[in-house]
Amino acid sequence: MTIPSAGVYKLDQAHKRVGFLARHMMVSPVRGEFREASAQIVVGEDPLSSSVTAVINTGSLTTHNPDRDTHLRSPDFLDVERFPLMRYRSTGMSWKGADDPIFLWARLRNNKLNRRVTGPEPAPGPVRFTLHGQLTVRDVTRAVDLRVEWGGARRDPYGQDIFGFSASAEIEREDYGLLWNVALESGGVLVGKTVHIEIAGEALRAD
């Protein structure tokens, strides 16, 4: 398991996706994304002390349907004029399972840690952890845990230290005051209440 050197990293704007998925008519998934988002990741000497802060421009939302996008940006949903930003701030992290090499590595404080980023990276299996944090939407803040899968760390052809990751979570939009809906005659509602968060990206060393 190769760990990036301790320091500050920024989300690579050319290699990111901050997306979401919700159900339409209770049967079909509709995907969208926010094209403008930034994040700062501070990797600690102890990886369990690492932290993340992220900012998302709500007006950059797109589902590739202009009418639907206009409605989602309106006061019925994100109300982007009044609330132009969403924010996420981590409060801690925990590894999923004691069998992950990175978990054992973090526990063995007396061992020298491997932070190489130049060579090939053995990958016996996916490494996953939970990022605990607070998500703020429309000035409402709720706890949201992200399930994160580690993509690996290395040095790119330009000599920059990078690492990759993907993350997911589920939130209830009504918890943030996004209450608009229409009841269906056959039962259920027009727009699903659960929103699936889908994130993927690379981070570049910034310091």
Side-chain angles (χ1 to χ4, degrees), residues 106-133:
R107 290 289 301 274
L108 297 176
R109 298 296 184 86
N110 294 327
N111 287 359
K112 185 176 180 180
L113 308 183
N114 174 20
R115 290 186 179 274
R116 294 180 299 104
V117 294
T118 55
E121 181 178 330
V127 175
R128 301 183 177 93
F129 59 92
T130 300
L131 186 68
H132 311 285

Side-chain angles (χ1 to χ4, degrees), residues 146-158:
L146 291 172
R147 299 181 298 274
V148 182
E149 183 166 316
W150 177 250
R154 61 183 62 248
R155 184 160 291 158
D156 72 11
Y158 305 100

